[in-house]
Amino acid sequence: MGSVAAMKAVAVLFFLSLSLFVWADKVKEVKELQIGVKYKPESCELQARKGDKVRVHYRGKLTDGTVFDSSFERGDPIFFELGTGQVIKGWDQGILGMCVGEKRKLKIPAKLGYGEQGSPPTIPGGATLIFDTELVEILGRGSKPNDDEL
């Protein structure tokens, strides 16, 4: 009889630990954009605003830590016009107000990222995305980088 009780106890503990594992994974998912400022320069004369052409370095990760893309490793920051839908909504919102040299961690819910469809094969549907970002340059409204800078 003692071994049956022990087997039941092991089964219950296994179920509880599995439930905790699934719950902990869901806790990593976010419902709204979360912005964490990791570094802000002492001087900030210009902040990124809608319509600015910006260059941003980034490292994109899933909640399990898997890196799916990184401009840091390529040495090639992304160039886009802020607030115009050229990037995912979480970026258009999360980069606003950044200073050149500022570093932010963006936790982006699926609805502001790639949605329920994801971006196969690297980003599963419904994925929360985590980006380490650094604003490299603000080129201003309507301006373009020099060809030799790209």
Side-chain angles (χ1 to χ4, degrees):
M1 282 275 185
S3 64
V4 172
M7 286 175 40
K8 284 183 180 179
V10 167
V12 167
L13 287 173
F14 175 75
F15 175 76
L16 289 174
S17 60
L18 183 61
S19 298
L20 183 59
F21 176 77
V22 170
W23 176 80
D25 193 47
K26 289 296 176 195
V27 169
K28 293 178 185 177
E29 304 300 319
V30 297
K31 300 293 182 204
E32 301 299 327
L33 175 65
Q34 295 178 6
I35 301 172
V37 176
K38 298 302 177 186
Y39 172 77
K40 191 162 189 157
E42 287 183 29
S43 172
C44 180
E45 294 150 21
L46 190 62
Q47 291 183 321
R49 60 185 184 169
K50 185 177 179 180
D52 283 345
K53 311 271 199 238
V54 296
R55 283 192 182 180
V56 178
H57 260 311
Y58 66 92
R59 180 175 298 104
K61 300 181 283 191
L62 301 176
T63 55
D64 68 1
T66 302
V67 175
F68 58 82
D69 194 12
S70 176
S71 72
F72 289 108
E73 278 70 18
R74 288 191 305 273
D76 186 24
I78 187 172
F79 172 76
F80 64 97
E81 186 174 336
L82 187 58
T84 61
Q86 294 180 2
V87 292
I88 60 175
K89 289 180 182 178
W91 268 53
D92 270 340
Q93 295 174 18
I95 302 297
L96 278 174
M98 280 183 83
C99 303
V100 173
E102 185 174 337
K103 297 178 183 180
R104 289 183 179 178
K105 178 174 276 191
L106 307 178
K107 290 185 181 179
I108 302 174
K111 68 182 180 182
L112 298 178
Y114 293 99
E116 292 307 313
Q117 74 278 3
S119 183
T122 53
I123 301 172
T128 291
L129 307 175
I130 300 169
F131 284 94
D132 296 314
T133 62
E134 178 181 354
L135 183 59
V136 176
E137 187 175 18
I138 299 173
L139 297 159
R141 294 181 180 208
S143 63
K144 292 193 257 182
N146 297 328
D147 289 339
D148 61 342
E149 290 179 343
L150 289 179

